[in-house]
Amino acid sequence: MRKIIATGKGGAGKTTVVATLSRLLAREGFRVMVIDTDPSMNLAMSLGVPFSTVRTLAEDKKEIREQLYEDDFDEEGEGHTHSSNINIDAFLEKYQVTAKDDVKVVVMGTISEGGGGCICSYISIVKRLIDYLALWSDQYDIVIVDSQAGSEILGRGLAVNYDHNLVITESFPKSMEVARHVLKLARDLKIRRQLVVVNKVRQGKELDLVADELSLNGESIYPVRYDEKVIEADRMGSLILDMAPDSLVLEDIGDIMRTILTDYEKT
């Protein structure tokens, strides 16, 4: 099973890229799961799944930790052994929903009340779930994680041994600063390959600007061109894949998909 994470500053377009990429991969015949770890929880809606139909992992934190861990669970979830008793298929049946093109969606969820602490333990649950999928389930070919905004999720070690990190950025200083930190943390985690995706490109010169600013060291860089229809589709709760299937945005995300698949063929 291949593992991909999408990272970057909030508003850079991670969710749109992940939702579109997942469906394009599914159309190529791959069995795809996407996991939303962003507390804003927009991925399911971007994939056309009403949020009211989704049961988040956070809602059943205590029950889930009892299934995934053999011993006591702390907020970090570190140093605890995997349970071998979980029925992973029944677990997925409860928490995954099906989007268009048969993409499966799981939503982590977020803190439900003031003073409820941080999301560290929820991230740990996602990490453990992905470990289970890799070890004991043959339902998926590719899992894509739509991360929370910023770089903290990599600091929590979620993406250890991942195949790809899609660093989504715009050509603005704040967005590039987050991308710079994400690239560094992902290198520390030894993610096999990082693809820098410059979103909302209008003129083309943005790629050179981002490449120079980030001092790329072997990482590939890809543009996703600006299209007003992306905003229009989002406003309508849809994807540009459905609203404007001839958009250049889809051509660009298709190029990213082909790079990922080429990498898979080499390993």
Side-chain angles (χ1 to χ4, degrees), residues 235-262:
R235 189 177 296 118
M236 297 178 63
S238 181
L239 269 183
I240 194 166
L241 184 62
D242 300 311
M243 176 175 284
D246 58 346
S247 171
L248 295 176
V249 168
L250 301 179
E251 180 180 320
D252 294 337
I253 296 177
D255 287 341
I256 297 166
M257 178 189 71
R258 284 184 282 277
T259 295
I260 290 170
L261 295 181
T262 298

Side-chain angles (χ1 to χ4, degrees), residues 3 14 41 44 82 121 174 195 207 218 222 231 237 241-242 249:
K3 297 181 288 185
K14 294 192 314 301
M41 299 182 287
H82 289 68
S121 58
K174 292 180 181 179
L195 307 180
L207 264 68
Y222 294 85
I231 299 173
L241 184 62
D242 300 311
V249 168

Side-chain angles (χ1 to χ4, degrees), residues 47-259:
L47 284 164
V49 177
F51 193 71
S52 60
T53 66
V54 176
R55 186 165 189 84
T56 70
L57 301 178
E59 292 177 67
D60 297 328
K61 173 183 171 182
K62 185 176 185 298
E63 175 186 339
I64 291 172
R65 70 190 187 188
E66 289 173 351
Q67 293 182 65
L68 296 182
Y69 297 85
E70 286 189 344
D71 49 5
D72 291 336
F73 179 94
D74 62 19
E75 286 303 296
E76 299 292 337
E78 299 299 332
H80 299 276
T81 55
H82 289 68
S83 170
S84 57
N85 298 320
I86 183 173
N87 182 332
I88 192 66
D89 294 333
F91 182 93
L92 292 175
E93 184 69 24
K94 183 173 182 178
Y95 294 102
Q96 71 182 9
V97 292
T98 302
K100 292 181 179 179
D101 296 312
D102 204 34
V103 172
K104 307 299 183 184
V105 186
V106 171
V107 178
M108 180 183 77
T110 190
I111 306 301
S112 60
E113 58 186 25
C118 72
I119 64 170
C120 309
S121 58
Y122 302 139
I123 292 173
S124 179
I125 285 172
V126 171
K127 182 178 179 182
R128 190 58 57 100
L129 172 60
I130 293 172
D131 288 345
Y132 271 97
L133 292 176
L135 289 170
W136 291 320
S137 175
D138 61 356
Q139 290 192 35
Y140 300 101
D141 304 306
I142 299 172
V143 170
I144 308 176
V145 175
D146 184 9
S147 78
Q148 66 184 113
S151 58
E152 181 182 3
I153 198 164
L154 293 180
R156 298 291 174 189
L158 174 64
V160 174
N161 296 322
Y162 271 48
D163 299 284
H164 286 89
N165 177 26
L166 304 182
V167 185
I168 316 297
T169 185
E170 296 179 79
S171 58
F172 302 130
K174 292 180 181 179
S175 190
M176 290 189 289
E177 186 55 38
V178 172
R180 186 197 323 279
H181 195 208
V182 162
L183 285 164
K184 193 273 180 189
L185 294 180
R187 292 181 192 121
D188 293 343
L189 293 175
K190 295 181 170 50
I191 291 177
R192 294 181 181 87
R193 187 171 183 191
Q194 303 204 68
L195 307 180
V196 176
V197 179
V198 184
N199 199 19
K200 307 172 192 175
V201 169
R202 295 174 183 264
Q203 299 175 331
K205 63 182 181 181
E206 292 96 330
L207 264 68
D208 291 335
L209 173 64
V210 172
D212 290 343
E213 185 66 25
L214 297 184
S215 301
L216 297 183
N217 182 24
E219 294 88 3
S220 301
I221 188 167
Y222 294 85
V224 174
R225 283 166 283 189
Y226 179 82
D227 189 336
E228 186 72 27
K229 292 178 182 176
V230 172
I231 299 173
E232 184 180 349
D234 190 51
R235 189 177 296 118
M236 297 178 63
S238 181
L239 269 183
I240 194 166
L241 184 62
D242 300 311
M243 176 175 284
D246 58 346
S247 171
L248 295 176
V249 168
L250 301 179
E251 180 180 320
D252 294 337
I253 296 177
D255 287 341
I256 297 166
M257 178 189 71
R258 284 184 282 277
T259 295

Side-chain angles (χ1 to χ4, degrees), residues 27-47:
R27 290 182 178 188
E28 291 293 315
F30 293 94
R31 299 169 300 170
V32 181
M33 171 186 277
V34 293
I35 302 178
D36 189 357
T37 66
D38 193 328
S40 63
M41 299 182 287
N42 292 322
L43 181 58
M45 289 184 286
S46 294
L47 284 164

